[in-house]
Amino acid sequence: MKVLVTGGTGLVGSHTAAALLRDGHEVRLLVRRPERIARTFRPFATEPTEVMVGDATDREAVHRAIDGCDAVLHAAATVALKRSDAERVNRLNTQAAETVLELASAARLDPIISVSSVAVFALEGASLTVASPLSAASEGYARSKGDAERFARGMQAAGAPVTITYPSGVFGPRVPEHPL
């Protein structure tokens, strides 16, 4: 299977891309900064099958990246927690999710995997499930994840093969943004 991975130079995307490669899949990355690939994938002793330079918010770039793929994992997101970045982060992350998921569905990719976050849920009660209420976050990263979540759920309701994952905490031994 040929899988497009957005966010492939980030922590979740790179570890997932490496696992896909180990399992024998072809992996195409859509990246903004190709100079990060060698450093990011060196610890995995593998490299993506193919790299396309572009932004997940750019419909034409995403359309080209999806062409010829069977599935997509959308893990791209800008993480910035300063209030001054809130509007920009929400716009970028929401637009990227809508662009990737919509075009993947139109191209009939299956599965379409959207990496969400437990940050989308209102923390009410003793446990979280996919039926838990969504947070009413009003700013930045949490808001962008919630907006992307609502879009992905709308696609699911319309019958698109969208699967949503909910990392509860993202940390690991190889953080791509830092020197190894």
Side-chain angles (χ1 to χ4, degrees), residues 15-92:
H15 281 265
T16 305
L20 289 165
L21 288 161
R22 282 192 304 272
D23 287 347
H25 298 285
E26 293 179 61
V27 173
R28 175 185 290 165
L29 297 185
L30 175 64
V31 300
R32 288 177 293 151
R33 297 185 182 106
E35 67 274 8
R36 293 183 177 178
I37 293 169
R39 184 181 67 178
T40 299
F41 283 87
R42 188 178 310 118
F44 301 119
T46 189
E47 289 189 11
T49 312
E50 189 178 346
V51 174
M52 297 187 78
V53 178
D55 192 286
T57 64
D58 179 339
R59 291 183 69 81
E60 187 57 39
V62 172
H63 181 72
R64 284 191 310 270
I66 284 172
D67 188 40
C69 289
D70 304 299
V72 65
L73 172 93
H74 175 60
T78 297
V79 180
L81 304 177
K82 292 191 296 184
R83 283 185 182 221
S84 60
D85 292 329
E87 196 56 43
R88 178 182 62 86
V89 167
N90 183 57
R91 181 178 32 76
L92 291 173

Side-chain angles (χ1 to χ4, degrees), residues 5-7 11-13 16 72-77 93 97 100-101 112-118 120 141 144-146 148-149 152 162-168 170:
V5 176
T6 68
L11 186 62
V12 172
T16 305
V72 65
L73 172 93
H74 175 60
N93 290 347
V100 172
L101 300 181
I112 300 167
I113 302 169
S114 178
V115 179
S116 186
S117 168
V118 295
V120 302
Y141 182 74
S144 74
K145 293 307 260 186
E149 175 76 14
V162 174
T163 298
I164 306 169
T165 64
Y166 300 97
S168 59
V170 178

